[in-house]
Amino acid sequence: MRTIAELPHPACKITLFNMNQKYIVKFEQGPLEQSYKISELELTGGGANEIFQMLDEEFIATVVERFKTMRSDFSAAYQRQQ
C-alpha cells in the first residue's frame, strides 16, 4: 500500500492510499478509523484530485459524527463487560 497524500483537517487525520487499482481514504481519530475504498475504474481520470473534491466539508462532518457514534457504541460495549 502506497501513501499518496495526507489532507490536513483539525477533527481527524485523513490519508489517501493506493493499492491494487484502488484508492483507500482512511480517516483516523484517536484509536478509531474509517476507510473508504474507491476503484480507479469508478473515477473519470482525475485521480487523487478527484477524490479530494469528493471529501467536502459536508462529507467530513458526517465522518466526524460517525466517530462520535463509534466511540459511544464501543464505550457501551465495554461497560457491559464490566
Side-chain angles (χ1 to χ4, degrees):
M1 185 164 21
R2 183 170 64 102
T3 302
I4 302 295
E6 289 187 10
L7 184 65
H9 195 276
C12 57
K13 179 179 177 183
I14 305 170
T15 310
L16 178 62
F17 300 97
N18 186 262
M19 181 177 78
N20 299 334
Q21 298 177 323
K22 288 184 187 134
Y23 287 103
I24 301 166
V25 183
K26 182 166 81 168
F27 295 85
E28 296 175 83
Q29 190 180 70
L32 303 174
E33 65 180 50
Q34 299 176 50
S35 297
Y36 297 85
K37 296 179 183 176
I38 305 158
S39 171
E40 289 179 352
L41 300 174
E42 293 179 26
L43 302 174
T44 60
N49 290 331
E50 189 174 347
I51 292 171
F52 286 142
Q53 288 176 354
M54 286 190 278
L55 304 180
D56 61 8
E57 282 302 316
E58 183 178 347
F59 178 72
I60 293 173
T62 63
V63 168
V64 171
E65 283 301 311
R66 194 167 294 117
F67 275 129
K68 291 177 185 175
T69 303
M70 291 170 67
R71 187 171 286 105
S72 175
D73 292 345
F74 184 76
S75 179
Y78 182 80
Q79 292 300 318
R80 287 191 300 272
Q81 299 305 311
Q82 298 303 312

XYZ file of all heavy atoms in Angstrom:
666
model
N 0.859 -1.159 0.000
C 0.000 0.000 0.000
C 0.912 1.231 0.000
O 1.812 1.339 0.820
C -0.905 -0.018 1.236
C -1.886 1.073 1.245
S -3.299 0.954 2.393
C -2.850 -0.141 3.648
N 0.618 2.124 -0.894
C 1.445 3.320 -1.055
C 0.657 4.544 -0.603
O -0.491 4.757 -1.010
C 1.841 3.453 -2.525
C 2.749 4.606 -2.829
C 3.275 4.519 -4.263
N 2.235 4.642 -5.265
C 1.996 5.745 -5.970
N 2.723 6.827 -5.774
N 1.033 5.775 -6.869
N 1.274 5.364 0.245
C 0.652 6.603 0.680
C 0.759 7.627 -0.439
O 1.841 7.903 -0.945
C 1.343 7.141 1.948
O 1.264 6.160 2.972
C 0.678 8.425 2.421
N -0.380 8.185 -0.816
C -0.433 9.194 -1.880
C -0.369 10.598 -1.284
O 0.375 11.448 -1.751
C -1.728 9.056 -2.715
C -1.829 7.670 -3.332
C -1.810 10.138 -3.777
C -0.763 7.362 -4.347
N -1.193 10.844 -0.263
C -1.251 12.191 0.309
C -1.933 12.154 1.668
O -2.627 11.196 2.008
C -2.028 13.113 -0.624
N -1.716 13.219 2.418
C -2.447 13.453 3.656
C -3.147 14.791 3.520
O -2.566 15.756 3.032
C -1.510 13.457 4.853
C -0.973 12.093 5.197
C -0.183 12.075 6.494
O -0.200 13.079 7.232
O 0.452 11.051 6.755
N -4.396 14.807 3.930
C -5.197 16.025 3.856
C -5.353 16.561 5.273
O -5.934 15.887 6.124
C -6.568 15.711 3.243
C -7.503 16.866 3.006
C -6.935 17.826 1.964
C -8.854 16.346 2.529
N -4.822 17.741 5.549
C -4.924 18.261 6.913
C -6.366 18.625 7.273
O -7.093 19.188 6.453
C -4.037 19.510 6.893
C -3.892 19.878 5.465
C -4.111 18.638 4.654
N -6.746 18.240 8.484
C -8.071 18.591 8.996
C -7.986 18.604 10.519
O -7.363 17.712 11.101
C -9.124 17.596 8.522
C -10.514 18.090 8.700
N -11.190 17.979 9.889
C -11.338 18.744 7.856
C -12.382 18.528 9.757
N -12.495 18.996 8.528
N -8.590 19.579 11.184
C -8.468 19.666 12.644
C -9.194 18.563 13.414
O -8.820 18.256 14.542
C -9.066 21.039 12.971
C -9.941 21.372 11.818
C -9.329 20.705 10.623
N -10.206 17.937 12.825
C -11.013 16.955 13.552
C -10.515 15.523 13.411
O -10.850 14.675 14.232
C -12.464 17.026 13.099
N -9.738 15.234 12.366
C -9.269 13.867 12.159
C -8.110 13.873 11.163
O -7.897 14.841 10.441
C -10.393 12.966 11.653
S -11.165 13.526 10.125
N -7.386 12.774 11.156
C -6.301 12.603 10.191
C -6.893 11.933 8.949
O -7.595 10.925 9.060
C -5.203 11.741 10.789
C -4.046 11.498 9.857
C -2.978 10.639 10.523
C -1.860 10.353 9.546
N -0.847 9.476 10.148
N -6.592 12.469 7.778
C -7.108 11.925 6.524
C -5.916 11.539 5.653
O -5.073 12.377 5.356
C -7.987 12.946 5.776
C -9.116 13.446 6.681
C -8.541 12.338 4.494
C -9.883 14.630 6.125
N -5.864 10.259 5.280
C -4.758 9.766 4.465
C -5.319 9.068 3.239
O -6.286 8.311 3.333
C -3.875 8.778 5.254
O -3.528 9.353 6.514
C -2.604 8.441 4.497
N -4.693 9.314 2.090
C -5.089 8.675 0.837
C -4.011 7.686 0.440
O -2.835 8.035 0.361
C -5.278 9.730 -0.263
C -5.652 9.206 -1.646
C -6.999 8.491 -1.615
C -5.672 10.351 -2.647
N -4.421 6.437 0.218
C -3.518 5.363 -0.190
C -3.904 4.856 -1.577
O -5.036 5.050 -2.019
C -3.608 4.171 0.776
C -3.248 4.495 2.193
C -4.232 4.781 3.120
C -1.920 4.498 2.599
C -3.912 5.065 4.432
C -1.592 4.782 3.914
C -2.585 5.068 4.831
N -2.984 4.160 -2.206
C -3.253 3.493 -3.479
C -2.736 2.067 -3.368
O -1.605 1.844 -2.939
C -2.562 4.229 -4.629
C -2.935 3.647 -5.975
O -2.205 2.848 -6.528
N -4.077 4.049 -6.492
N -3.609 1.112 -3.746
C -3.223 -0.299 -3.687
C -4.145 -1.108 -4.591
O -5.373 -0.959 -4.534
C -3.334 -0.820 -2.247
C -2.932 -2.277 -2.083
S -3.001 -2.838 -0.380
C -4.756 -3.086 -0.200
N -3.558 -1.956 -5.425
C -4.322 -2.872 -6.269
C -5.440 -2.182 -7.051
O -6.588 -2.618 -7.031
C -4.914 -4.018 -5.445
C -3.852 -4.851 -4.778
O -2.715 -4.928 -5.242
N -4.202 -5.478 -3.669
N -5.111 -1.126 -7.733
C -6.046 -0.368 -8.568
C -7.219 0.203 -7.783
O -8.322 0.359 -8.294
C -6.536 -1.209 -9.743
C -5.419 -1.621 -10.676
C -5.902 -2.501 -11.794
O -6.773 -3.340 -11.616
N -5.326 -2.289 -12.978
N -6.967 0.492 -6.513
C -7.976 1.121 -5.664
C -7.321 2.248 -4.892
O -6.157 2.187 -4.529
C -8.541 0.130 -4.655
C -9.433 -0.910 -5.234
C -10.017 -1.763 -4.134
C -10.778 -2.898 -4.763
N -10.487 -4.167 -4.158
N -8.122 3.272 -4.649
C -7.737 4.306 -3.704
C -8.427 3.975 -2.386
O -9.577 3.541 -2.371
C -8.184 5.685 -4.177
C -7.369 6.225 -5.322
C -7.859 6.201 -6.613
C -6.106 6.766 -5.104
C -7.116 6.702 -7.672
C -5.353 7.262 -6.160
C -5.860 7.226 -7.432
O -5.127 7.724 -8.477
N -7.727 4.174 -1.307
C -8.286 3.963 0.021
C -8.158 5.279 0.772
O -7.055 5.813 0.910
C -7.558 2.833 0.776
C -7.654 1.545 -0.022
C -8.132 2.674 2.182
C -6.718 0.459 0.443
N -9.291 5.800 1.232
C -9.296 7.014 2.034
C -9.512 6.579 3.481
O -10.519 5.947 3.798
C -10.423 7.978 1.604
C -10.358 9.263 2.417
C -10.345 8.275 0.114
N -8.529 6.890 4.332
C -8.619 6.480 5.736
C -8.717 7.717 6.620
O -7.916 8.639 6.514
C -7.410 5.649 6.133
C -7.479 5.146 7.570
C -6.482 4.060 7.868
C -5.121 4.617 8.155
N -4.212 3.612 8.715
N -9.730 7.714 7.475
C -9.939 8.764 8.463
C -9.587 8.161 9.824
O -10.046 7.069 10.153
C -11.400 9.210 8.493
C -11.867 9.861 7.223
C -12.315 9.092 6.157
C -11.858 11.233 7.096
C -12.758 9.694 4.984
C -12.304 11.839 5.930
C -12.740 11.067 4.875
N -8.795 8.886 10.609
C -8.416 8.413 11.938
C -8.708 9.491 12.969
O -8.458 10.672 12.731
C -6.926 8.096 11.993
C -6.494 6.965 11.087
C -4.998 6.793 11.109
O -4.503 6.125 12.049
O -4.329 7.328 10.213
N -9.228 9.038 14.091
C -9.463 9.926 15.225
C -9.177 9.109 16.478
O -9.959 8.230 16.854
C -10.896 10.452 15.216
C -11.133 11.563 16.211
C -12.564 12.042 16.171
O -13.456 11.305 16.586
N -12.777 13.257 15.690
N -8.034 9.357 17.078
C -7.620 8.565 18.235
C -7.480 7.098 17.831
O -6.892 6.788 16.796
N -8.087 6.184 18.602
C -7.964 4.755 18.291
C -8.960 4.263 17.240
O -8.958 3.088 16.882
C -8.239 4.084 19.639
C -9.190 5.028 20.313
C -8.746 6.412 19.891
N -9.808 5.158 16.732
C -10.834 4.761 15.769
C -10.420 5.122 14.354
O -9.697 6.090 14.134
C -12.156 5.464 16.094
C -12.713 5.238 17.492
C -13.933 6.111 17.713
C -13.044 3.779 17.721
N -10.885 4.320 13.394
C -10.634 4.652 11.996
C -11.795 4.204 11.121
O -12.514 3.261 11.452
C -9.321 4.065 11.495
C -9.226 2.567 11.448
C -7.874 2.100 10.929
O -6.847 2.576 11.419
O -7.882 1.251 10.021
N -11.948 4.915 9.998
C -12.934 4.588 8.976
C -12.203 4.588 7.648
O -11.374 5.455 7.401
C -14.045 5.637 8.918
C -14.838 5.791 10.193
C -15.837 6.915 10.076
O -16.599 6.993 9.114
N -15.847 7.804 11.066
N -12.519 3.610 6.807
C -11.875 3.530 5.496
C -12.923 3.421 4.399
O -13.947 2.763 4.566
C -10.965 2.294 5.419
O -9.928 2.391 6.356
N -12.626 4.068 3.288
C -13.492 4.029 2.112
C -12.628 3.645 0.918
O -11.589 4.258 0.680
C -14.150 5.402 1.870
C -15.043 5.811 3.006
C -14.523 6.456 4.126
C -16.395 5.540 2.975
C -15.340 6.813 5.181
C -17.224 5.898 4.028
C -16.684 6.532 5.130
O -17.497 6.887 6.178
N -13.055 2.623 0.188
C -12.305 2.150 -0.982
C -13.016 2.597 -2.255
O -14.225 2.471 -2.383
C -12.192 0.632 -0.967
C -11.393 0.114 0.204
C -11.334 -1.391 0.202
C -10.586 -1.874 1.429
N -10.583 -3.336 1.512
N -12.214 3.106 -3.185
C -12.749 3.594 -4.459
C -11.922 2.980 -5.582
O -10.702 3.166 -5.631
C -12.669 5.129 -4.537
C -13.385 5.743 -3.332
C -13.238 5.637 -5.844
C -12.937 7.141 -3.018
N -12.565 2.252 -6.466
C -11.869 1.666 -7.610
C -11.405 2.764 -8.554
O -12.129 3.735 -8.802
C -12.798 0.702 -8.348
O -12.203 0.288 -9.551
N -10.211 2.613 -9.093
C -9.716 3.574 -10.079
C -10.641 3.637 -11.293
O -10.752 4.666 -11.945
C -8.298 3.206 -10.521
C -7.255 3.449 -9.454
C -5.858 3.058 -9.899
O -5.696 2.447 -10.979
O -4.909 3.356 -9.156
N -11.338 2.530 -11.582
C -12.242 2.484 -12.731
C -13.486 3.345 -12.532
O -14.137 3.722 -13.499
C -12.651 1.037 -13.018
C -11.506 0.064 -13.338
C -12.028 -1.353 -13.463
C -10.779 0.503 -14.594
N -13.830 3.643 -11.281
C -15.005 4.467 -10.990
C -14.729 5.954 -11.181
O -15.663 6.747 -11.207
C -15.477 4.221 -9.556
C -16.022 2.829 -9.338
C -16.452 2.604 -7.898
O -16.805 3.588 -7.204
O -16.434 1.455 -7.454
N -13.477 6.322 -11.289
C -13.115 7.730 -11.430
C -13.041 8.112 -12.895
O -12.844 7.264 -13.767
C -11.776 7.991 -10.735
C -11.735 7.641 -9.236
C -10.332 7.807 -8.697
C -12.715 8.505 -8.468
N -13.156 9.392 -13.159
C -13.159 9.866 -14.543
C -11.781 10.293 -15.017
O -11.653 10.937 -16.053
C -14.133 11.046 -14.703
O -13.716 12.105 -13.836
C -15.556 10.628 -14.394
N -10.748 9.954 -14.274
C -9.389 10.282 -14.699
C -8.722 11.344 -13.861
O -7.570 11.691 -14.088
N -9.426 11.864 -12.868
C -8.866 12.918 -12.026
C -7.965 12.425 -10.921
O -7.283 13.205 -10.281
N -7.975 11.111 -10.676
C -7.109 10.527 -9.656
C -7.326 11.117 -8.279
O -8.453 11.317 -7.840
N -6.218 11.401 -7.602
C -6.269 11.898 -6.230
C -7.042 13.213 -6.141
O -7.810 13.421 -5.197
C -4.858 12.073 -5.691
N -6.878 14.090 -7.111
C -7.605 15.365 -7.075
C -9.109 15.160 -7.123
O -9.867 15.869 -6.463
C -7.159 16.270 -8.231
C -5.759 16.778 -8.037
O -5.304 16.941 -6.902
N -5.063 17.016 -9.124
N -9.545 14.180 -7.883
C -10.979 13.878 -7.961
C -11.496 13.391 -6.604
O -12.597 13.759 -6.179
C -11.220 12.825 -9.036
C -12.663 12.590 -9.360
C -12.857 11.639 -10.532
O -11.889 11.342 -11.265
O -14.003 11.184 -10.712
N -10.698 12.587 -5.935
C -11.094 12.088 -4.613
C -11.148 13.237 -3.613
O -12.084 13.350 -2.829
C -10.138 10.978 -4.150
C -10.346 9.753 -5.043
C -10.383 10.629 -2.681
C -9.340 8.664 -4.853
N -10.154 14.121 -3.649
C -10.156 15.258 -2.729
C -11.377 16.145 -2.926
O -11.884 16.729 -1.974
C -8.870 16.071 -2.864
C -7.672 15.401 -2.257
C -6.444 15.485 -2.880
C -7.763 14.690 -1.080
C -5.324 14.876 -2.331
C -6.656 14.069 -0.515
C -5.434 14.171 -1.141
N -11.884 16.249 -4.145
C -13.097 17.028 -4.394
C -14.312 16.379 -3.737
O -15.234 17.063 -3.298
C -13.331 17.188 -5.891
C -12.351 18.123 -6.547
C -12.539 18.193 -8.057
O -13.336 17.463 -8.637
N -11.783 19.084 -8.688
N -14.319 15.041 -3.666
C -15.424 14.330 -3.013
C -15.417 14.556 -1.510
O -16.461 14.504 -0.862
C -15.329 12.830 -3.292
C -15.717 12.430 -4.678
S -15.862 10.638 -4.845
C -14.162 10.176 -5.071
N -14.249 14.807 -0.945
C -14.112 14.954 0.504
C -14.424 16.387 0.923
O -13.592 17.087 1.490
C -12.700 14.564 0.947
C -12.230 13.163 0.564
C -10.818 12.925 1.061
C -13.174 12.100 1.091
N -15.646 16.804 0.674
C -16.038 18.159 1.049
C -16.374 18.214 2.544
O -16.412 17.188 3.228
C -17.195 18.650 0.186
C -18.456 17.804 0.308
O -18.513 16.905 1.178
O -19.390 18.029 -0.469
N -16.596 19.412 3.046
C -16.848 19.574 4.480
C -18.116 18.862 4.942
O -18.180 18.378 6.072
C -16.904 21.057 4.849
C -15.532 21.689 4.953
C -14.628 21.003 5.983
O -15.081 20.688 7.096
O -13.451 20.781 5.653
N -19.108 18.765 4.086
C -20.342 18.055 4.453
C -20.046 16.574 4.704
O -20.510 15.993 5.687
C -21.393 18.210 3.357
C -22.716 17.557 3.686
C -23.761 17.757 2.604
O -23.565 18.598 1.708
O -24.781 17.058 2.670
N -19.273 15.960 3.817
C -18.915 14.552 3.991
C -18.050 14.359 5.230
O -18.295 13.454 6.031
C -18.189 14.021 2.757
C -17.756 12.595 2.895
C -18.683 11.567 2.860
C -16.426 12.266 3.090
C -18.293 10.240 3.017
C -16.026 10.950 3.245
C -16.963 9.940 3.206
N -17.058 15.215 5.409
C -16.172 15.085 6.572
C -16.959 15.264 7.864
O -16.702 14.571 8.852
C -14.992 16.070 6.465
C -14.089 15.660 5.294
C -14.193 16.111 7.760
C -12.985 16.631 4.960
N -17.949 16.145 7.863
C -18.790 16.323 9.052
C -19.532 15.033 9.397
O -19.662 14.686 10.576
C -19.780 17.466 8.833
N -20.006 14.302 8.393
C -20.684 13.029 8.674
C -19.694 11.994 9.207
O -20.041 11.180 10.069
C -21.410 12.469 7.435
O -20.467 12.191 6.413
C -22.463 13.427 6.935
N -18.472 12.021 8.705
C -17.436 11.111 9.208
C -17.159 11.401 10.682
O -17.084 10.487 11.514
C -16.149 11.223 8.357
C -14.988 10.516 9.028
C -16.377 10.680 6.960
N -17.033 12.672 11.029
C -16.772 13.060 12.419
C -17.935 12.649 13.318
O -17.728 12.139 14.430
C -16.474 14.572 12.511
C -16.411 15.034 13.958
C -15.166 14.892 11.784
N -19.156 12.829 12.855
C -20.324 12.388 13.629
C -20.310 10.872 13.818
O -20.663 10.369 14.879
C -21.623 12.829 12.961
C -21.947 14.282 13.172
C -22.079 14.660 14.639
O -22.786 13.966 15.388
O -21.450 15.658 15.023
N -19.918 10.156 12.774
C -19.843 8.695 12.866
C -18.801 8.276 13.901
O -18.986 7.297 14.621
C -19.534 8.102 11.492
C -19.761 6.612 11.431
C -19.769 6.095 10.000
N -20.911 6.637 9.266
C -20.811 7.442 8.202
N -19.644 7.805 7.734
N -21.898 7.874 7.602
N -17.706 9.026 14.007
C -16.707 8.739 15.041
C -17.336 8.856 16.427
O -17.067 8.035 17.308
C -15.508 9.687 14.942
C -14.448 9.240 13.966
C -13.983 10.110 12.996
C -13.890 7.974 14.027
C -13.002 9.726 12.097
C -12.913 7.570 13.138
C -12.459 8.443 12.171
N -18.175 9.863 16.628
C -18.843 10.024 17.924
C -19.712 8.812 18.224
O -19.724 8.298 19.347
C -19.679 11.303 17.930
C -18.860 12.567 17.905
C -19.751 13.789 17.836
C -18.939 15.058 17.681
N -19.777 16.243 17.489
N -20.446 8.342 17.219
C -21.291 7.166 17.388
C -20.442 5.924 17.663
O -20.779 5.120 18.543
C -22.162 6.947 16.137
O -22.938 8.115 15.903
C -23.083 5.747 16.305
N -19.370 5.778 16.931
C -18.480 4.626 17.133
C -17.922 4.620 18.560
O -17.893 3.578 19.220
C -17.323 4.658 16.126
C -17.731 4.396 14.700
S -16.398 4.730 13.519
C -15.216 3.443 13.939
N -17.486 5.792 19.014
C -16.923 5.893 20.363
C -17.975 5.537 21.404
O -17.711 4.798 22.361
C -16.384 7.310 20.587
C -15.632 7.481 21.889
C -14.918 8.823 21.971
N -13.731 8.797 21.102
C -13.635 9.412 19.913
N -14.649 10.109 19.446
N -12.539 9.347 19.208
N -19.189 6.026 21.218
C -20.288 5.740 22.144
C -20.633 4.250 22.139
O -20.817 3.641 23.204
C -21.506 6.570 21.750
O -22.604 6.236 22.548
N -20.709 3.655 20.957
C -21.013 2.222 20.841
C -19.955 1.369 21.534
O -20.269 0.424 22.251
C -21.118 1.802 19.370
C -22.321 2.391 18.673
O -23.245 2.889 19.359
O -22.342 2.361 17.426
N -18.688 1.726 21.309
C -17.606 0.950 21.917
C -17.614 1.116 23.429
O -17.443 0.135 24.171
C -16.248 1.350 21.340
C -15.132 0.505 21.874
C -14.953 -0.785 21.400
C -14.294 0.980 22.850
C -13.933 -1.586 21.892
C -13.279 0.181 23.356
C -13.100 -1.098 22.878
N -17.840 2.321 23.892
C -17.890 2.576 25.328
C -19.020 1.774 25.987
O -18.836 1.182 27.053
C -18.081 4.069 25.581
O -18.163 4.331 26.952
N -20.175 1.736 25.335
C -21.312 0.978 25.873
C -20.992 -0.515 25.917
O -21.299 -1.196 26.904
C -22.558 1.231 25.028
N -20.363 -1.031 24.879
C -19.990 -2.445 24.854
C -18.972 -2.755 25.956
O -19.060 -3.778 26.634
C -19.415 -2.824 23.487
N -18.044 -1.855 26.144
C -17.030 -2.034 27.197
C -17.690 -2.025 28.573
O -17.376 -2.861 29.420
C -15.975 -0.922 27.085
C -14.874 -1.042 28.088
C -13.832 -1.935 27.888
C -14.884 -0.273 29.248
C -12.812 -2.046 28.812
C -13.868 -0.389 30.187
C -12.830 -1.275 29.963
O -11.831 -1.397 30.888
N -18.614 -1.101 28.788
C -19.303 -1.007 30.089
C -20.122 -2.243 30.385
O -20.236 -2.654 31.541
C -20.178 0.252 30.129
C -19.402 1.547 30.128
C -18.466 1.661 31.312
O -18.814 1.313 32.431
N -17.260 2.155 31.065
N -20.701 -2.870 29.363
C -21.490 -4.081 29.580
C -20.621 -5.238 30.060
O -21.122 -6.159 30.714
C -22.215 -4.496 28.293
C -23.386 -3.599 27.945
C -24.244 -4.189 26.839
N -23.527 -4.394 25.599
C -23.392 -3.493 24.629
N -23.903 -2.282 24.775
N -22.752 -3.785 23.513
N -19.339 -5.189 29.776
C -18.438 -6.272 30.172
C -17.843 -6.058 31.566
O -17.164 -6.929 32.077
C -17.314 -6.421 29.149
C -17.793 -6.760 27.758
C -18.663 -8.014 27.758
O -18.292 -9.034 28.318
N -19.813 -7.934 27.103
N -18.101 -4.917 32.166
C -17.534 -4.611 33.489
C -18.375 -5.175 34.603
O -19.476 -5.400 34.597
C -17.350 -3.107 33.671
C -16.391 -2.519 32.668
C -15.019 -3.163 32.674
O -14.426 -3.334 33.731
N -14.527 -3.556 31.529
